Amino acid sequence: ETGVTQSPTHLIKTRGQQVTLRCSSQSGHNTVSWYQQALGQGPQFIFQYYREEENGRGNFPPRFSGLQFPNYSSELNVNALELDDSALYLCASSRDRAEQYFGPGTRLTVT
Amino acid sequence: KQEVTQIPAALSVPEGENLVLNCSFTDSAIYNLQWFRQDPGKGLTSLLLIQSSQREQTSGRLNASLDKSSGRSTLYIAASQPGDSATYLCAVKDSSNTGKLIFGQGTTLQVKP
């Protein structure tokens, strides 16, 4: 167990809807990175938040957005859901962008 | 652009066999390389992390090596057990400000009793 928690564990949404995923970082960590893992693929970097500011973004459209709170927990928001957004969403926390510790993930299914 | 490749995509071995999983990357300017284990539908468990200045790391029956100049890493599993069945992912941490991880597609291992 890494101490990183994510909620919910699983959810089902309809195409066009919006979704918010949550991540609580490990104690003492100030950085959260989000990854998308499609079935049978390796995780892909979405973006990173460091001390409440976005600190880098992967090749994902603007409908993927996020924020980080003063307690360093984080949210990932996805608007206008598409079928291809169905994936396991992983968050990882770290201290000052050092080694990343992963949470259990949120399984999103878009129908 | 950094690309990480893992071969084979899937592997099935009898219990007790020693095995090697391969990982290659295209850009040698990495900060470190990490091997993860992932059980179906679950998150990632870190197995071994090798800094760019290191050649190998060991933990129990696992040994990971790193050859930066050739862009290769191997994960050696000794005396495999059915409980080792999982997907193994390697990831390189790039030297950018974010230090994001770039993953391979993974190798799915099945160890038969």
Side-chain angles (χ1 to χ4, degrees):
Chain A
E1 297 293 325
T2 63
V4 180
T5 61
Q6 292 186 243
S7 62
T9 56
H10 181 231
L11 74 165
I12 301 172
K13 290 286 188 179
T14 302
R15 189 171 51 184
Q17 286 187 317
Q18 179 265 344
V19 68
T20 297
L21 310 181
R22 296 178 175 82
C23 173
S24 292
S25 56
Q26 187 169 309
S27 177
H29 288 183
N30 54 17
T31 306
V32 173
S33 303
W34 285 92
Y35 295 83
Q36 180 196 65
Q37 186 178 23
L39 197 62
Q41 302 295 317
Q44 298 287 320
F45 176 73
I46 303 174
F47 45 56
Q48 181 184 90
Y49 279 84
Y50 172 61
R51 295 183 176 180
E52 303 181 58
E53 298 285 333
E54 186 176 293
N55 184 53
R57 188 179 184 91
N59 189 26
F60 281 82
R63 57 190 187 83
F64 285 77
S65 64
L67 69 158
Q68 187 177 34
F69 300 99
N71 66 356
Y72 301 125
S73 65
S74 177
E75 286 183 354
L76 164 65
N77 299 290
V78 187
N79 294 322
L81 284 167
E82 301 177 358
L83 296 178
D84 284 349
D85 296 332
S86 295
L88 181 68
Y89 288 84
L90 297 162
C91 81
S93 77
S94 58
R95 181 176 177 82
D96 294 333
R97 293 160 291 178
E99 183 175 357
Q100 297 178 25
Y101 296 83
F102 283 81
T106 293
R107 170 70 62 187
L108 171 64
T109 302
V110 182
T111 62
Chain B
K1 177 189 171 187
Q2 177 76 269
E3 293 183 1
V4 180
T5 303
Q6 292 185 245
I7 295 173
L11 183 62
S12 180
V13 300
E15 182 177 3
E17 191 162 299
N18 302 325
L19 58 102
V20 174
L21 307 182
N22 296 294
C23 173
S24 61
F25 47 95
T26 56
D27 186 346
S28 62
I30 63 171
Y31 189 76
N32 61 39
L33 183 144
Q34 200 164 357
W35 283 92
F36 293 89
R37 169 185 172 137
Q38 185 174 36
D39 293 297
K42 305 294 186 182
L44 306 182
T45 300
S46 179
L47 298 174
L48 291 164
L49 184 151
I50 311 175
Q51 300 293 348
S52 61
S53 58
Q54 297 176 318
R55 296 283 293 183
E56 65 177 339
Q57 282 285 341
T58 297
S59 176
R61 295 182 294 108
L62 306 179
N63 174 276
S65 67
L66 174 63
D67 184 342
K68 260 185 42 174
S69 61
S70 67
R72 294 176 187 273
S73 176
T74 61
L75 177 66
Y76 175 82
I77 303 177
S80 58
Q81 304 170 356
D84 295 330
S85 298
T87 295
Y88 292 81
L89 293 154
C90 76
V92 298
K93 184 175 182 178
D94 73 3
S95 52
S96 72
N97 187 41
T98 65
K100 66 179 182 287
L101 296 178
I102 302 166
F103 287 84
Q105 311 95 308
T107 294
T108 299
L109 172 66
Q110 181 185 33
V111 181
K112 298 178 181 177

